[in-house]
Amino acid sequence: MEGGAGNKLLSLYFNLMLIVQLQFWSSLLPISYSAAIRHLPGFPGPLPFELETGYVGVGESEEVQLFYYFLKSEKNPEKDPLVIWLTGGPGCSALSALLYEIGPLFFAVDEEYNGTLPNLVLKPHSWTQVASIIFIDSPVGTGFSYSTTSQGFQTGDFKSSKHLYQFLTKWMIDHPELVNNPIYVAGDSYSGKIIPLVVKDISDGNEAGNEPFINIKGYIMGNPVTDPVFDSNKQVQYAHGMGLIPDELYESVKRSCGGNYVQIDPTNVLCQKDMQSFYKCISGLNIAQILEPLCFFASPKPEEMVGDRRSLKQKNNEFLDPKPIKPIPTDRCRSFDYLLAYSWANDSRVRNALHIRKGSVGNWQRCSYGLPYQYEIQSSIEYHANLSKKGFRSLIYSGDHDMAVPFLATEAWIKSLNYSIVDEWRSWIVDGQIGGYTRTYSNRMTFATVKGGGHTAPEYKPKECFAMFKRWISEDPL
């Protein structure tokens, strides 16, 4: 037998054995499970906030087990809003958002890392100061979520959205004390495709009389993947505006490609040539935040980025989540901070503290890009239009130094909804300085830029993003 074929058969055997073990093991466990966490390895003393972790079974036979982290508001959890946070990818762990974006904990990155368990410290700008947050590992196969059947891992935009609605209904039944709290669905990056669909599912369920009634009030999205016609086409204009490509190339590519840089006619030689020049200009950039170093040069070759881009994740994930390899010794390389999460989340003491089911998942990954996932929603704009008609509030924000989903793209599709402006373009201020710019529309949609922010804006500008969130969630002007 050929060595390659033998290895494939061996791998298949071990995968099948794992599935059989999971099916047997999970049959002995409750469909839903939760536990209060008082201490976490790496953090000195008891946690100064309330943390709960657990699983909720979803799917036809509850074969999909979605893992979550629930942090109560540090202000007034009985009345404060409840935020359901969906990390992007698809396939990026909720723990990434908790630690690097809006949660109360972060790694002590100023300490010299010696290979042992990383230390945790408190963050001063956690969104949990004014809201309770459920961080969900979704879709299945993300973070610590798993399936007890091989079929359960097959998912996509619509199925994962349905699972999230099932999750929320079951979770609310187990937490009746929060049933009257205002609820918002939030997230960033690829979750821009999923969030409006989840809000629709919740709204439809309420209108159908499903129990429990979910007090959904609106949604929040950061640098959201929405529509390739807007998202990718605006990259060229953005690069020109930021001085990354010269005037001559910008004018030439506009003429040769006719403003369409997503689905290029293979016979259009001039457009292909101009796009090659464009990608050559940006090939050394960290497109998640163009001012920061690209520490791991794993970017795709320019010719691989030309053509039909069904999702930004398919071409840009290597920029957004470099593989956990030995870091290049650079001054404050953000990629090194990501590596700390691998060391922490894969430590057996941490898994025991979080009550992760033994044998359910292998190594924790910050982003699992190999999921068998179906990208079914080409554009989510129609969902925003329908949700606007129902009167839901929305906050759409963009870090203005993100080139993966440029703020120009988000601004353009918002304008395409054709709602009148009720608060004209202006700056918003944090501690006497401009935090970004904002505009509000008659459909109760607020658009905001975060000055200096990247693809996951709170990661880069935590103080400004917390101020933005706190004002908006309280229905105050930014």
Side-chain angles (χ1 to χ4, degrees), residues 289-308:
Q289 214 290 4
I290 61 173
L291 298 183
E292 292 207 351
L294 181 63
C295 297
F296 302 150
F297 287 88
S299 59
K301 297 178 181 178
E303 60 269 19
E304 294 174 350
M305 298 183 72
V306 178
D308 182 11

Side-chain angles (χ1 to χ4, degrees), residues 53-70:
T53 65
Y55 297 87
V56 174
V58 297
E60 294 183 4
S61 304
E62 281 88 16
E63 71 278 5
V64 171
Q65 296 285 306
L66 295 182
F67 185 78
Y68 70 90
Y69 310 79
F70 170 55

Side-chain angles (χ1 to χ4, degrees), residues 445-463:
M445 180 176 284
T446 296
F447 172 63
T449 65
V450 180
K451 184 168 66 72
H455 187 62
T456 48
E459 181 178 354
Y460 301 87
K461 292 292 180 177
K463 179 175 70 173

Side-chain angles (χ1 to χ4, degrees), residues 376-387:
E376 298 158 323
I377 301 175
Q378 181 69 8
S379 172
S380 60
I381 295 177
E382 64 176 294
Y383 295 104
H384 293 288
N386 292 331
L387 294 176

Side-chain angles (χ1 to χ4, degrees), residues 37-41 43-52 71 105 120 122:
I37 311 299
R38 306 300 182 194
H39 297 81
L40 282 177
F43 187 82
L47 296 175
F49 52 83
E50 293 189 57
L51 169 64
E52 170 189 302
L71 291 88
L105 293 175
L120 293 167
L122 291 174

Side-chain angles (χ1 to χ4, degrees), residues 213-245:
F213 178 88
I214 297 175
N215 192 21
I216 184 72
K217 296 297 184 181
Y219 56 99
I220 305 168
M221 304 193 310
N223 290 81
V225 174
T226 304
D227 185 308
V229 174
F230 291 95
D231 297 343
S232 298
N233 271 335
K234 287 296 182 179
Q235 287 183 326
V236 173
Q237 181 183 348
Y238 178 86
H240 177 249
M242 297 300 286
L244 307 178
I245 61 174

Side-chain angles (χ1 to χ4, degrees), residues 52 70-73 76-83 131-134 168 171-183 212-216:
E52 170 189 302
F70 170 55
L71 291 88
K72 281 189 178 181
S73 171
N76 187 356
E78 289 77 22
K79 294 184 178 180
D80 286 343
L82 173 63
V83 175
S132 298
I133 305 178
I134 312 173
L168 188 55
W171 193 89
M172 293 303 297
I173 291 172
D174 289 339
H175 298 78
E177 71 278 8
L178 297 173
V179 71
N180 293 319
N181 293 53
I183 293 177
F213 178 88
I214 297 175
N215 192 21
I216 184 72

